[in-house]
Amino acid sequence: MSHHYSGPDFGFPRGDARLDLTDLYAFPKPGDPRKSILIMNVHPSAAVNSPGPTTAEPFASEALYEFKIDTDGDAVADIAYRVRFSSSAGGAQTATLRRVVGAQASGMGDSGKVIVEGAPVSTGPEARVTEAGDHRFFAGWRSDPFFFDVQGARNGLQFTGDDFFADKDVCSIVLEVPNSVLGPKRVGLWARTLDGAGGKWVQADRGALPAQAVFLVGDERDAYLGGDPEDDARFVAIFAHALEHAGGYAPDEARRVAGTLLPEILSYDPTRPARFPGNGRTLTDDAGDAFLAVLTNGKVTEDKVDAHRDLLAEFPYLGPPHSA
């Protein structure tokens, strides 16, 4: 189920739905290949365990939401885009977007050059978009673009094509950036959420590739969600064990496949068309099917669910929220 419900027992990291990273997307801007679109979705509108709606406040004001960009292939961020939100006042929030480069990009904190300040957060059907120089920014409730048969996954991978996310929403952060700010070649991307409610920043969730943190981390969930891609080699054995169990892989093959999934980074070359898993990820790529094929060693290759039809042809590309 992509990265939704990555906390214990299909729950939320640190018990807060607003900190739950659900998906990361990266693709060239339609009609303008000089620019790229980066999308981080968080905060599922409905819980699975126990079923029911989550909080109406889109983003946590005591949290930080980050896009991480590795430009030299060492699995360490060289660029970071950081988004901080105001507290809700009369039901409204605003966002501040900062950019940081160099050594600070791999650290924790809300410093950086301000790109956008006081951007309105959308809660209704109208997408309130903020433009700042060569950047464009959106944050707010949107229709969840991920498609997957969640109940089938929880029922021993017995899929019926029931798309759990067809009527669900997420809170989206969408950036339009010139390719020149990403670096001159292929980059590695991931996203993370930080929780500052306790007085210091603590990494609550992180991810780039669908479903890994839900199905493969086992008892190492907290360590994995709180870790960094540069240290992901320590989880190869854990992933391999899960693959042996789920897909019947032989031990050596399980370790090999686990090594292809780690470090957990989304590879993206903005000069090439995007298609998951080879290059970035578009909103219609069937990432769920791609992961099922890996998880089961080719025994299960589809969940019988197709891409959503409420996507937009223009920024911010995600459809209006169902709850609006």
Side-chain angles (χ1 to χ4, degrees):
M1 59 185 74
S2 198
H3 202 87
H4 300 66
Y5 315 115
S6 51
D9 196 22
F10 296 108
F12 301 118
R14 302 180 71 82
D16 189 338
R18 299 169 301 172
L19 301 175
D20 190 347
L21 171 69
T22 68
D23 284 288
L24 176 67
Y25 301 89
F27 51 90
K29 178 182 177 180
D32 188 354
R34 300 169 301 173
K35 296 182 178 180
S36 287
I37 306 300
L38 308 181
I39 300 177
M40 176 199 318
N41 288 339
V42 299
H43 190 177
S45 63
V48 170
N49 191 19
S50 301
T54 57
T55 178
E57 183 179 56
F59 303 95
S61 61
E62 63 274 14
L64 195 64
Y65 301 82
E66 288 188 311
F67 292 95
K68 296 287 202 178
I69 305 168
D70 167 30
T71 63
D72 57 13
D74 63 357
V76 176
D78 303 291
I79 303 168
Y81 281 95
R82 295 168 168 166
V83 186
R84 187 82 187 266
F85 293 91
S86 69
S87 58
S88 293
Q93 283 185 298
T94 60
T96 297
L97 169 71
R98 291 180 169 87
R99 184 175 186 266
V100 60
V101 298
Q104 287 186 327
S106 62
M108 293 191 180
D110 58 358
S111 62
K113 178 183 177 180
V114 174
I115 305 297
V116 172
E117 188 169 19
V121 172
S122 297
T123 56
E126 179 185 359
R128 306 176 71 183
V129 176
T130 301
E131 298 194 26
D134 52 9
H135 287 64
R136 187 179 288 186
F137 175 84
F138 168 86
W141 283 107
R142 290 275 98 184
S143 171
D144 193 340
F146 186 62
F147 47 101
F148 194 66
D149 180 354
V150 171
Q151 296 307 322
R154 300 182 72 192
N155 186 31
L157 304 185
Q158 301 299 308
F159 295 111
T160 64
D162 180 16
D163 184 2
F164 175 82
F165 299 99
D167 60 352
K168 304 299 190 298
D169 297 327
V170 286
C171 291
S172 300
I173 299 171
V174 187
L175 289 181
E176 178 184 302
V177 301
N179 293 338
S180 59
V181 307
L182 298 178
K185 54 184 179 180
R186 181 179 291 273
V187 297
L189 305 171
W190 66 99
R192 73 175 183 176
T193 60
L194 302 179
D195 182 10
K200 65 177 183 178
W201 294 114
V202 177
Q203 185 166 298
D205 201 359
R206 59 101 175 190
L209 306 178
Q212 295 187 181
V214 180
F215 291 104
L216 296 179
V217 298
D219 294 336
E220 295 294 318
R221 185 179 308 277
D222 289 345
Y224 188 79
L225 296 183
D228 295 311
E230 62 180 310
D231 300 320
D232 276 354
R234 62 183 170 140
F235 298 108
V236 168
I238 298 293
F239 274 39
H241 178 75
L243 291 170
E244 287 183 52
H245 177 74
Y249 286 90
D252 288 348
E253 181 66 2
R255 289 189 65 88
R256 185 194 69 79
V257 174
T260 67
L261 301 175
L262 297 168
E264 189 182 347
I265 292 175
L266 181 66
S267 179
Y268 175 58
D269 181 347
T271 68
R272 296 177 50 232
R275 180 164 184 157
F276 185 85
N279 187 50
R281 181 181 173 190
T282 74
L283 295 168
T284 58
D285 286 338
D286 202 331
D289 282 0
F291 178 74
L292 283 174
V294 174
L295 179 69
T296 67
N297 198 8
K299 297 178 181 68
V300 179
T301 59
E302 63 175 352
D303 67 339
K304 305 176 183 178
V305 178
D306 294 324
H308 294 169
R309 298 181 180 180
D310 60 354
L311 300 172
L312 305 180
E314 58 188 20
F315 193 91
Y317 304 103
L318 302 122
H322 299 278
S323 62

